[in-house]
Amino acid sequence: MAALRDNRAVWAFGVLVVTWLAAILFAGGFDSVGSVRYLVQTASFLGIVAVGQTLVVMMSGIDLSVSAVVALSAVVCAQVAAASGGTAAILIALAVSALVGLVNAAGLIWLRLPPMVMTLATATVISGALLIYTGGSPRSARIPLLDALANGSVAGIPLATILWLAIAAVAAWLLHLSRLGRYAFALGTSEPASRASGVPVPVTTLAMYAGCALLAGVAGLVLLGFTGTSSLTMGNPYQLLSIASVVLGGTSILGGRGHLLGTVAGALLLTLLTALLVAWNLGEGLRQVALGLLIIGLLLVYARERRTT
């Protein structure tokens, strides 16, 4: 029981269940199959980004460029698809996304810049470059593979959700069962001690930041398939929400502690809270204020529970 009590992922799923029950009681429609299906489908977009964010947060990093990479991937794919076809466009978009992660890691390793500064600067550069690349008018695109992935289903389960859970399973193995994952946890606990112990810091940093950016790129492609259009601001909601998903899932923002399964619960919880606020007909401004206060409240509850255990 003590181990269960101290498991942050279990706490996250517990809060998710309580919130879902509250939504069923105090708002209509949350107990229908269609509502559940739509919520897990839309949670997949945030969830894929949040899985990538977990990779870098676990090693005491952070990536503020994920929102820009989501837009970058979708915009590049839509632009290239018009000339080269869907398959080439998808591969190019993913390659460009991974390259952003490598650039972020290079800034951390060789320029010794703090993660927040480096990734925020990268996001700013990407936003400006996309504005120049598109002339302020990004293209729309209907790519059959992405359309099927974003909107199709198998046995009633959205394919986007299946993709998200598959990605989460691979990332969970990477973090919790592989040598690279042990290196990431070690870096999150103490970088100087990790260096002294022979942890390959450059390789680990490159792999985790490239993985984070690549997953943001995947999310951008799925969003492109879902909406059929790209936008320079389509990734904006996922920057802070991806970090909130990680932290609400029980991963320490300082790194070295947590579990990727908690991030899955965090993404579902934030998507559910957003849908609940919409169901209550709150305006956009009030929704943002309420969601922010709810996140702060949940984090305070988690912090209090940690101090008392």
Side-chain angles (χ1 to χ4, degrees):
M1 289 298 294
L4 187 64
R5 181 190 62 195
D6 294 337
N7 190 308
R8 313 303 297 176
V10 171
W11 273 88
F13 277 104
V15 173
L16 172 63
V17 171
V18 171
T19 306
W20 203 298
L21 291 175
I24 293 173
L25 291 174
F26 299 109
F30 282 88
D31 55 345
S32 68
V33 174
S35 175
V36 172
R37 184 184 184 281
Y38 183 75
L39 283 172
V40 297
Q41 181 182 21
T42 53
S44 304
F45 311 140
L46 169 61
I48 293 172
V49 181
V51 168
Q53 192 74 254
T54 306
L55 298 180
V56 298
V57 171
M58 201 69 79
M59 54 181 290
S60 193
I62 198 167
D63 192 342
L64 298 182
S65 68
V66 290
S67 59
V69 175
V70 168
L72 173 68
S73 177
V75 168
V76 168
C77 184
Q79 297 283 125
V80 174
S84 304
T87 303
I90 291 171
L91 294 176
I92 291 172
L94 292 177
V96 171
S97 300
L99 179 61
V100 172
L102 294 175
V103 170
N104 282 333
L108 304 182
I109 297 167
W110 291 293
L111 299 181
R112 307 296 296 173
L113 294 173
M116 186 175 294
V117 173
M118 181 63 204
T119 57
L120 185 59
T122 301
T124 304
V125 171
I126 292 173
S127 298
L130 286 178
L131 188 60
I132 296 171
Y133 179 49
T134 63
S137 300
R139 292 177 180 268
S140 299
R142 279 291 179 187
I143 301 173
L145 175 60
L146 297 182
D147 182 65
L149 187 60
N151 302 299
S153 63
V154 174
I157 303 174
L159 281 175
T161 303
I162 295 174
L163 174 65
W164 171 33
L165 296 180
I167 289 172
V170 173
W173 171 84
L174 178 69
L175 274 177
H176 303 292
L177 297 176
S178 74
R179 180 176 298 179
L180 187 64
R182 290 195 292 272
Y183 291 156
F185 272 95
L187 285 172
T189 303
S190 173
E191 182 176 340
S194 299
R195 289 181 180 274
S197 301
V199 170
V201 176
V203 172
T204 305
T205 304
L206 285 166
M208 292 303 176
Y209 274 90
C212 179
L214 180 62
L215 290 180
V218 171
L221 293 178
V222 179
L223 274 171
L224 176 62
F226 185 69
T227 63
T229 184
S230 61
S231 166
L232 300 182
T233 59
M234 65 191 300
N236 287 0
Y238 301 106
Q239 177 170 294
L240 296 181
L241 287 180
S242 66
I243 300 170
S245 298
V246 174
V247 178
L248 288 176
T251 296
S252 170
I253 195 66
L254 300 178
R257 182 188 182 195
H259 199 289
L260 195 134
L261 288 179
T263 299
V264 174
L268 287 168
L269 176 60
L270 287 177
T271 304
L272 176 60
L273 288 173
T274 302
L276 187 57
L277 295 175
V278 172
W280 286 339
N281 294 318
L282 295 182
E284 177 64 23
L286 285 176
R287 285 206 304 270
Q288 291 183 11
V289 171
L291 185 60
L293 292 175
L294 284 170
I295 292 172
I296 292 172
L298 287 170
L299 292 177
L300 287 175
V301 171
Y302 284 8
R304 184 177 182 276
E305 185 273 334
R306 181 161 55 251
R307 287 195 298 268
T308 58
T309 57

